Amino acid sequence: MPQLSSDHNNTKKTHATAADIAACRELLRCGSRSFYAASFLLPARFRDPAIALYAFCRIADDAIDCVGDDPVLQAEALEMLNDRLDRLYAGRPIDDPIDRALADVVRDFAIPKRLLEALFEGFEWDAEGRRYEDLSGVYDYSARVAGTVGAMMAALMGARSEEMVARACDLGVAMQITNICRDVGEDARNGRIYLPLSWVREAGVDPDEWLKNPVFNEAIASVVRRLLQTADELYQRSDAGIAGLPLGCRAGINAARYLYAEIGRQVERQGLDSISQRAVVPAPRKLQLLAPILGRAVMSARPVEAPALEETRFLVEAVVAETPQRTPAGVGERVIWVLELFQQLEERERALGVR
């Protein structure tokens, strides 16, 4: 895997083998097909590290989900996850391919431990069945379960300035809010509600009474519409961050941004009814969007004069504080970078059938 600095890290043990990376890929190929497919739009040097990060996030989520609603088992699962995190950050991962792969990634790319700890906090809040009174509460939750992933990907790609990490967190929060709007009915049937409770009451609905019989109505539709508008504002803020990524990284992240935003558009096409049906973007629509998405990936966006959301500021600060000091690239490094760029262009030409 890539190293942040040549001399210092070359003396450190590499934990993961090719078989370990293959195990991470297989986990996502079977269980997270959308991310697995999107990963092929990332440059090769970031693809496997991103897969290792996402694989660990996936097994951590599954570890909490599989114990059900038993608070004792949930506490035990969280303790186990934190122990695994402690060990891999100490360079002593457990005998598991995903932990070995992540141990290399967090070291080589200086991924702050606070990001993964915050992700676990989000899992804990889910296990507790927390509800959120206002939009700030929804932001707090979304920062943990999705803003963390945005911050980790920004750190992975070297986009570690305060502005860039803030925009990455905006994207993660926007995507989570889209999830919330898509899953209103499914969550309600499981006794959960992630909509801001004050918004629901303002629309004239008692959240507890509605959960007893979660049916679609115009009041709930107005809350979903309002929340989708909030997500759209954050997607627009994130565009400046995507435009600032290394050129080879933009297509994959841009695809995730626009395809997720399209879920919101599908909810709107369904009359904002995500209670009686779940919004799914049809495959032909995804293909229709692909060319414009890839075209936007090479375009620049205007800088966004907006600070980080208060609820994601701790993530931004964690990444900035642990940004490694790098020496300027020498001629050899620049030549390697140019060769990698030509390789990426050739791969894309072959994929498009260009001769």
Side-chain angles (χ1 to χ4, degrees), residues 24-74:
C24 293
R25 290 196 203 104
E26 184 63 18
L27 173 73
L28 297 186
R29 187 183 70 82
C30 297
S32 299
R33 287 176 291 181
S34 295
F35 180 86
Y36 179 74
S39 70
F40 286 98
L41 293 172
L42 293 175
R45 66 186 182 278
F46 298 128
R47 188 179 306 139
D48 286 343
I51 284 174
L53 268 174
Y54 201 86
F56 188 83
C57 294
R58 179 59 192 263
I59 63 164
D61 193 13
D62 290 346
I64 301 300
D65 284 345
C66 73
V67 300
D69 296 328
D70 187 321
V72 175
L73 293 178
Q74 289 169 354

Side-chain angles (χ1 to χ4, degrees), residues 8 63 66 69 80 88 93 98 102 133 145 156 194-195 202 212 257 289 294 297-298 301 303 314 346:
H8 182 62
C66 73
D69 296 328
M80 177 271 294
L88 67 88
I98 294 172
L102 186 60
E133 182 62 26
V145 298
L156 189 73
Y194 292 92
L195 303 174
E202 286 171 19
K212 294 175 183 177
R257 177 255 192 263
L289 289 169
L294 296 179
V298 299
F314 75 105
E346 288 175 0

